[in-house]
Amino acid sequence: MPRLPRLAGAAVAAVIVSVLASATASGGEPERSDARVVARFDFAAGQTPENIALERDGSADLAFAFARQVANVTPRGRTRILATLPEVKNPNTPIVHSAVVLGIARAHDDTLYVTYATGTRKTGIWRITRDGGTPKQIAKLPADGLPNGLALDEHRGVLYAADSVLGTVWRVPQEGGTATKWAKVPALAPSHAPSGGFGANGIKVHGHAVWVSNSDRGTLLRIPVRPDDSADAIETRATGLHGIDDFAFTGRGHTVLAALTATGQIALVRPDGTRTIVLARKDGLADPTSVAVRDRSVYVPSAAYLTMRDPNLVVARLPWRAG
């Protein structure tokens, strides 16, 4: 199994600490939950779960960033490696300087799509099928970018990738092909550009819009999709979410559960932008990076980028009303 170089892990942690140094808690004490750690992973082996997609059987597919792997974790915590992205001898990825698998999205036929950032021509979107085949690159993205979160809109047959360095949302046909620059505005860029920082990070398709988080600016953004599939004017739906990574909607409304990596918390963000902390470190979180919701169950991968110990997957049931 590939080992995560100590210097690489320390460098990533240092960068994130620097980027999120101003992060503060956003809300009161967590509400009651029955959170439990269902699986623990090996930080030294690069098993840093960056993003998540849920299967119909209740298992979770995770992107292990520094191991360059996609894994499936059963409800009982059994972990199985589904695929490993190809090794890159001299990765030159912005900020992290290592080849990393970041975003993940699942189609109804169980095909998985991931973003792979390498600083080389292998940077882009890759497809993983359930027949045990080799991962295949279906779209190239700029080598000087950092494609992070990934969202699939099967109705339109497109994938959206959030680029944290270039401050861009890329749009790619689901079957693969040329990536187009769907949205690029200052609100998507890191506030410390060009010296560093994570801008557009998490991304979801919800209703008739693409929602994006900006880690550096602590914002949650909504980009309506016009009838011709182009991007409409961007809207800021929440601010002050320092260190926000990826997020998930609790239902058909606009209530969001957001991973706040810097403070080790999950925030319930209401449509009016107010928020309450519903999970925290005491619930087992170790620098949460993303969220998935099914019914009233919440799945939270923690990559342990800052603590550098105990990356895990937490599952909880919370007493909120989905909206």
Side-chain angles (χ1 to χ4, degrees), residues 38-238:
V38 298
R40 287 187 160 89
F41 311 115
D42 186 349
F43 182 86
Q47 293 183 342
T48 48
E50 172 69 23
N51 217 302
I52 182 170
L54 297 182
E55 296 282 351
R56 286 184 290 266
D57 62 2
S59 65
D61 296 324
L62 301 177
F64 282 162
F66 285 93
R68 314 187 325 275
Q69 293 175 329
V70 174
N72 176 265
V73 181
T74 69
R76 293 181 176 272
R78 178 176 175 271
T79 302
R80 176 171 60 97
I81 303 303
L82 300 177
T84 301
L85 277 291
E87 183 179 4
V88 175
K89 291 184 178 180
N90 297 297
N92 190 31
T93 311
I95 302 179
V96 299
H97 309 298
S98 297
V100 285
V101 177
L102 297 173
I104 186 170
R106 174 184 168 274
H108 75 279
D109 65 355
D110 293 334
T111 298
L112 295 173
Y113 301 88
V114 297
T115 52
Y116 189 31
T118 69
T120 73
R121 63 183 182 180
K122 287 186 172 65
T123 296
I125 297 175
W126 290 65
R127 181 172 60 217
I128 300 167
T129 60
R130 286 312 175 102
D131 60 5
T134 302
K136 179 181 179 182
Q137 186 173 13
I138 64 169
K140 292 182 179 180
L141 294 173
D144 60 349
L146 184 66
N148 204 326
L150 185 67
L152 171 62
D153 185 343
E154 287 196 272
H155 176 71
R156 292 184 171 86
V158 296
L159 292 147
Y160 296 95
D163 194 312
S164 296
V165 168
L166 299 180
T168 301
V169 173
W170 299 100
R171 189 173 189 265
V172 175
Q174 184 179 350
E175 68 272 15
T178 302
T180 58
K181 191 180 296 181
W182 187 74
K184 183 176 176 63
V185 293
L188 296 170
S191 60
H192 297 94
S195 61
F198 294 85
N201 193 330
I203 188 167
K204 292 290 182 291
V205 175
H206 187 71
H208 300 287
V210 176
W211 294 65
V212 185
S213 62
N214 186 314
S215 299
D216 218 15
R217 299 177 187 270
T219 52
L220 181 63
L221 310 168
R222 178 178 183 268
I223 311 174
V225 181
R226 293 187 177 119
D228 66 356
D229 289 346
S230 64
D232 207 337
I234 198 165
E235 307 166 359
T236 300
R237 302 306 295 264

